């Protein structure tokens, strides 16, 4: 079973986006960081790239980002496989949203590895805000199931996350 | 909650010919935006040196690819490559 956690912090603001970018690009912990439409090798540049899109569409004060954590079950035994799965899961958002991701090694209830995906809430295509409603996230879960070949379990969290595992 | 500066509180009424309206509507449909949004974006962002987020995303991805290749073999030129991308972003 693959766990998909969607964390929504509508009022996190600028600081929440900054923390997210720093957390995912932290070279001390992040394995195989990657991204779409952002400089994922530099936390400051990653943040600037996302904010630039928000400013272009005059949507700097809306929900800053969508934070997704994909935790693979014990069947995924090495971080290389986990990071490749995470990279493919993040591709789901590429057609409309900038995103940055990395994989961590951490022993959770049912997994050795998990991938963090930070998605800019404002689309670079047309400025529309990303939807985190249940139906849309279920579609993402089905994509994750296709990529990982594991049954997905979706959890939606509305409280703030300080990017600690 | 959206800031006061970003709230769309200003409203204008404009006149145009039927043909002009059809042209604008067609262009708006091609971009997937409303009639009014297309007009505002064209006027406000029309002179942005051709830069737009889609172009910047594409360029950034190309730069990321170049960095990945370069870090595997030869680190020379990486700094300049990244500087050029940052300059493009500042023009958005």
């Amino acid at each position: 079973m693959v766990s998909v956690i969607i964390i929504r912090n509508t009022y996190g603001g600028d600081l929440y986006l900054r923390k997210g970018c720093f957390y995912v690009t932290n070279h001390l912990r992040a394995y195989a960081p990657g991204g779409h439409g952002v400089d994922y090798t530099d936390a400051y540049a990653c943040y600037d790239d996302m904010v630039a899109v928000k400013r272009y569409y005059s949507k700097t004060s809306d929900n800053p980002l969508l934070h997704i954590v994909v935790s693979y079950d014990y069947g995924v035994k090495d971080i290389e496989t986990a990071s490749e799965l995470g990279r493919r899961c993040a591709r789901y958002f590429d057609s409309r949203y900038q995103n940055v991701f990395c994989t961590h090694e951490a022993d959770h209830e049912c997994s050795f590895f998990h991938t963090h995906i930070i998605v800019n809430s404002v689309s670079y295509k047309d400025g529309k805000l990303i939807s985190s409603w249940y139906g849309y996230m279920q579609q993402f879960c089905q994509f994750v199931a296709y990529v990982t070949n594991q049954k997905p379990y979706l959890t939606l969290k509305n409280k703030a996350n300080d990017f600690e595992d | 909650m959206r800031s006061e500066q970003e709230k769309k509180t200003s409203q204008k009424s404009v006149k145009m010919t039927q043909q002009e309206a059809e042209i604008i509507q067609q262009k708006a449909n091609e971009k997937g935006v409303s009639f009014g949004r297309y007009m505002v974006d064209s006027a406000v962002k029309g002179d942005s040196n051709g830069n737009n987020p889609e172009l910047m995303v594409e360029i950034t991805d190309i730069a990321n690819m170049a960095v990945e290749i370069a870090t595997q073999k030869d680190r020379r030129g990486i700094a300049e490559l990244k500087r050029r991308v940052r300059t493009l972003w500042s023009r958005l």
Side-chain angles (χ1 to χ4, degrees), chain A residues 74-136:
Chain A
Y74 286 132
V76 177
K77 299 184 183 302
D78 60 272
I79 197 166
E80 290 80 12
T81 300
S83 67
E84 179 56 29
L85 291 175
R87 181 181 296 271
R88 291 170 61 191
C89 288
R91 293 283 83 88
Y92 181 84
F93 300 99
D94 282 3
S95 63
R96 293 180 57 79
Y97 300 96
Q98 295 165 299
N99 59 82
V100 60
F101 54 86
C102 75
T103 297
H104 289 159
E105 180 174 0
D107 195 4
H108 280 285
E109 297 175 354
C110 61
S111 67
F112 291 126
F113 311 103
H114 60 271
T115 298
H116 289 270
I117 305 172
I118 304 295
V119 184
N120 190 356
S121 59
V122 180
S123 169
Y124 64 84
K125 278 267 190 185
D126 54 16
K128 291 183 179 175
L129 293 174
I130 193 170
S131 171
S132 60
W133 74 287
Y134 185 78
Y136 182 69

Side-chain angles (χ1 to χ4, degrees), chain A residues 50-77:
Chain A
M50 289 193 176
V51 170
V53 171
K54 294 175 184 292
R55 284 198 183 121
Y56 184 89
Y57 290 111
S58 299
K59 291 186 178 177
T60 60
S61 54
D62 295 88
N63 178 23
L65 58 91
L66 198 64
H67 178 199
I68 299 170
V69 182
V70 181
S71 298
Y72 317 98
D73 68 19
Y74 286 132
V76 177
K77 299 184 183 302

Side-chain angles (χ1 to χ4, degrees), chain B residues 9-28:
Chain B
T9 55
S10 180
Q11 190 169 342
K12 301 291 183 184
S13 176
V14 296
K15 291 186 177 181
M16 65 198 75
T17 67
Q18 183 64 34
Q19 186 181 22
E20 287 171 337
E22 289 173 358
I23 291 173
I24 294 171
Q25 184 64 65
Q26 181 180 353
K27 290 185 175 182

Side-chain angles (χ1 to χ4, degrees), chain A residues 22-65:
Chain A
F22 272 79
Y23 186 73
V24 174
T25 59
N26 182 349
H27 299 293
L28 295 177
R29 280 197 67 195
Y31 182 83
H36 173 65
V38 295
D39 182 352
Y40 59 83
T41 66
D42 184 325
Y44 294 99
C46 178
Y47 168 80
D48 286 345
D49 292 348
M50 289 193 176
V51 170
V53 171
K54 294 175 184 292
R55 284 198 183 121
Y56 184 89
Y57 290 111
S58 299
K59 291 186 178 177
T60 60
S61 54
D62 295 88
N63 178 23
L65 58 91

Side-chain angles (χ1 to χ4, degrees), chain B residues 21-76:
Chain B
E22 289 173 358
I23 291 173
I24 294 171
Q25 184 64 65
Q26 181 180 353
K27 290 185 175 182
N29 291 341
E30 288 171 2
K31 291 208 72 174
V33 298
S34 68
F35 187 101
R37 178 44 45 192
Y38 179 80
M39 286 185 67
V40 171
D41 285 349
S42 297
V44 174
K45 303 183 178 82
D47 59 350
S48 63
N49 300 318
N51 277 355
N52 58 68
E54 277 192 76
L55 175 63
M56 291 310 306
V57 164
E58 186 173 341
I59 291 173
T60 301
D61 281 352
I62 291 171
N64 285 337
M65 290 169 57
V67 170
E68 287 174 6
I69 292 170
T71 53
Q72 290 171 13
K73 293 184 179 179
D74 186 354
R75 298 187 66 85
R76 286 176 296 178

